[in-house]
Amino acid sequence: MLEHPEVTKTEEKLTAVVHLTVARADIQTVMGPAIAEVMAIMLAQGIVPAGPLFSYHLKRPSDIFDFEVGFPVSGVIKPSGRVKPSKLPATKLVRAVYRGGYEGLGNAWGELFGWVKDEGLNARGSLWECYAVGPETDPDPAKWRTELNCPLV
């Protein structure tokens, strides 16, 4: 279920990420290790997350996902292995919260892009998801919350 979208503005956020370019079919096998890698480097550098896990897609996903996975941070992380500093942009966007299991995210994005079009707005090519409540917090997918962020032109 997608909660009502709203247009808002965001401030730039420093992040610690691993950049991945993978086939859609490989997403489940590469994302977990990348998250663990970011967490380990943050811990080693004494940096704590300043917000929930996110995935920032540099372009709309198709058969290939080109994205960063990581966490907002309160200070700049030093590059180590695949982990590097990055940023979530300051931008005007449409935001909505999806409730449910991750298998429904594709349909939720479709619904959000439909809303954007119906409102006469223009989406950029990038987007990001913030995983506010997920399996690490509650095993019941009905309680999971994913924030969908669709930057506007």
Side-chain angles (χ1 to χ4, degrees):
M1 174 165 60
L2 191 68
E3 294 179 3
H4 184 72
E6 65 179 11
V7 177
T8 188
K9 290 185 180 182
T10 61
E11 294 183 17
E12 183 177 85
K13 290 183 183 178
L14 297 175
T15 62
V17 302
V18 167
H19 180 249
L20 299 166
T21 303
V22 299
R24 177 186 297 268
D26 296 334
I27 196 84
Q28 291 182 344
T29 59
V30 300
M31 201 158 159
I35 294 165
E37 191 174 342
V38 174
M39 291 290 292
I41 297 303
M42 288 173 44
L43 180 64
Q45 293 184 21
I47 295 176
V48 296
L53 172 69
F54 69 88
S55 61
Y56 177 60
H57 296 261
L58 305 174
K59 58 184 178 180
R60 280 177 75 170
S62 59
D63 291 340
I64 301 295
F65 280 37
D66 182 12
F67 69 107
E68 296 175 339
V69 61
F71 294 89
V73 292
S74 57
V76 178
I77 194 157
K78 296 176 198 146
S80 180
R82 297 188 305 165
V83 178
K84 65 177 188 166
S86 192
K87 297 176 183 175
L88 288 174
T91 190
K92 181 178 178 181
L93 56 74
V94 173
R95 176 176 290 151
V97 174
Y98 163 71
R99 297 174 184 227
Y102 296 146
E103 69 281 351
L105 282 169
N107 289 337
W109 276 110
E111 187 178 333
L112 184 60
F113 287 131
W115 186 90
V116 167
K117 183 178 177 184
D118 290 349
E119 293 296 311
L121 303 170
N122 293 309
R124 286 191 197 163
S126 62
L127 56 91
W128 71 89
E129 300 172 344
C130 293
Y131 309 102
V133 178
E136 71 288 343
T137 308
D138 193 308
D140 181 2
K143 295 181 182 175
W144 298 355
R145 304 287 178 271
T146 305
E147 182 183 274
L148 309 182
N149 295 279
C150 176
L152 299 172
V153 175

